[in-house]
Amino acid sequence: MPLQIERMQPAGMNVRMQQGKPAYSHVVTVNGPGKTVYIAGQLGRDAEGNIVGSSGDMRAQMEQTFKNLDACLKAAGATWADVVKTNTFVTDYAAFSQCSDVRMRYFGVASPTSTTIQISGLAQPGAMVEIEMIAVVP
């Protein structure tokens, strides 16, 4: 049986839209054989471990965070279409929501289940966003 990933929006549930597409799925089911990939929370850090962008530059940090996530997926033999769950931690939700186009550029029509939480701080001073993911690869 090939791996099947099904994304659902149950009837009667509000679906938040971004750029004409669902921003996330309320439910994702995975059936069949596959490899589960867990990606640790990624910050907007460059290869030297420095937070990118000037202080308060959510867009620069989002761009770097998604580059880091992309490298993690590729290392695991996964693609963005294989992602079934994200957990996002932000220090400024208003700034984060103005950068939704960065997220949508990577996910396209694939909309994993998603949780976003605003917190007072992250593991590295100056960090504004951290994203962890789970993917399932056939």
Side-chain angles (χ1 to χ4, degrees):
M1 170 187 199
L3 182 70
Q4 297 174 335
I5 299 174
E6 184 178 2
R7 301 162 199 284
M8 296 179 257
Q9 308 292 3
M13 302 284 293
N14 178 270
V15 178
R16 187 165 50 89
M17 304 296 283
Q18 291 179 341
Q19 301 171 5
K21 303 173 197 165
Y24 62 92
S25 294
H26 283 284
V27 179
V28 173
T29 63
V30 180
N31 295 304
K35 171 175 70 173
T36 303
V37 178
Y38 299 89
I39 298 176
Q42 298 296 307
L43 300 172
R45 283 195 278 228
D46 62 20
E48 288 76 42
N50 301 309
I51 297 295
V52 301
S54 59
S55 179
D57 189 345
M58 177 66 82
R59 181 165 295 279
Q61 290 192 28
M62 290 272 296
E63 292 284 0
Q64 184 64 50
T65 299
F66 275 90
K67 283 182 188 176
N68 295 345
L69 290 166
D70 190 58
C72 291
L73 285 170
K74 287 177 179 168
T79 69
W80 288 95
D82 300 319
V83 177
V84 297
K85 173 72 176 142
T86 66
N87 290 319
T88 303
F89 305 91
V90 299
T91 59
D92 182 346
Y93 186 80
F96 170 76
S97 64
Q98 293 175 6
C99 300
S100 63
D101 60 301
V102 176
R103 183 181 191 280
M104 296 305 286
R105 186 172 355 114
Y106 284 87
F107 282 112
V109 297
S111 51
T113 60
S114 179
T115 300
T116 303
I117 302 167
Q118 181 171 312
I119 60 175
S120 62
L122 291 163
Q124 186 165 346
M128 299 179 70
V129 60
E130 181 171 347
I131 302 173
E132 61 184 27
M133 297 190 312
I134 300 171
V136 180
V137 182

